């Protein structure tokens, strides 16, 4: 079974600075997807960024980027120029590639990100 | 364009009762997944419905069952409620792709 581990229960960063959230996973599959989701106090889960395992290039979305190390099974999220609106729970998630659309996601326990003004 | 909607927002039940939660997928989506998120934890996959059939299932007992209707909306049913079933229940929809769009969730409290 696949597992996702987030070892940082809470992180704090000053506004406008950069923060990196860590995630490791375990799988025997060679093709899969990795995601970072954001869950603010409103509870709505929002996709931040995704990475296909077959792609060597790290995904980026504006201020958000990932460092995907397939051999080490590591998938960290870097948030640059942190903003107050970035404060939320961040979840790392894994999905196998089945070729038939979205599969059930396996989530980590989350990292609570605090932005200090 | 309406996103994923869930009802009710919050409900309270007692042990042993049965509950039904509802989900309407994002317009154009045909696949619905359900997740349980206990307090302070990440969501756990319950099951996924596609073409009115259960396509995948996570490690949940048979007390958890579901249904998908021809309009792609879905229900999650939980029988014989336990205190441990108290959680936020999230619905997510997708269409022929990897990205799942989540609803705001239903907070279930079992007393």
């Amino acid at each position: 079974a696949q597992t996702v581990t987030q070892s940082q229960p809470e992180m704090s960063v000053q506004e406008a600075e950069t923060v990196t959230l860590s995630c490791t996973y375990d799988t025997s599959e060679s093709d899969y997807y990795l995601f970072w989701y954001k869950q603010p106090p409103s509870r709505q889960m929002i996709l931040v960024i995704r990475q296909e395992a077959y792609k060597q290039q790290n995904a980026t979305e504006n201020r958000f980027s990932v460092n995907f190390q397939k051999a080490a099974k590591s998938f960290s999220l870097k948030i640059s120029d942190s903003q107050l609106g970035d404060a939320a729970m961040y979840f790392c998630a894994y999905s196998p590639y089945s070729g038939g659309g979205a599969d059930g996601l396996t989530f980590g326990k989350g990292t609570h990100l605090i932005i200090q003004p | 364009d309406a996103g994923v909607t869930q009802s009710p927002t919050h409900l309270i039940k007692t042990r042993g009762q049965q509950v039904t939660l509802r989900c309407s997928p994002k317009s154009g989506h045909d696949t619905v997944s359900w997740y349980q998120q206990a307090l302070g934890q990440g969501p756990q996959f319950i099951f996924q419905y596609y073409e009115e059939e259960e396509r995948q299932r996570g490690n949940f007992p048979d007390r958890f069952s579901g249904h998908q209707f021809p309009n792609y909306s879905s229900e999650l049913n939980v029988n014989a409620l336990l205190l441990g079933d108290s959680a936020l229940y999230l619905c997510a929809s997708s269409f022929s792709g990897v990205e799942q769009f989540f609803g705001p969730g239903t907070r279930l409290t079992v007393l």
Side-chain angles (χ1 to χ4, degrees), chain A residues 35 39 44 102-105, chain B residues 35 37 48 55-56 97 100 102:
Chain A
F35 307 85
Q39 188 177 40
Q44 187 97 32
D103 278 10
L105 297 167
Chain B
Y35 295 83
Q37 185 176 18
Q48 184 181 87
R55 177 170 169 263
Q56 287 186 343
Q100 297 187 30
F102 282 81

Side-chain angles (χ1 to χ4, degrees), chain A residues 43-111:
Chain A
R43 310 180 317 198
Q44 187 97 32
M45 195 76 76
I46 301 164
L47 179 64
V48 174
I49 198 165
R50 86 178 201 198
Q51 174 80 43
E52 289 85 347
Y54 67 86
K55 290 186 177 179
Q56 293 187 346
Q57 186 173 6
N58 290 324
T60 62
E61 288 287 342
N62 301 314
R63 298 183 296 106
F64 299 87
S65 62
V66 298
N67 183 4
F68 173 49
Q69 301 289 327
K70 191 172 183 179
K73 295 181 181 175
S74 171
F75 183 60
S76 61
L77 173 69
K78 185 172 83 171
I79 306 174
S80 304
D81 185 26
S82 297
Q83 300 175 1
L84 293 177
D86 295 333
M89 284 293 293
Y90 285 81
F91 292 95
C92 179
Y94 165 99
S95 172
Y97 173 75
S98 67
D103 278 10
L105 297 167
T106 300
F107 284 87
K109 290 188 174 183
T111 297

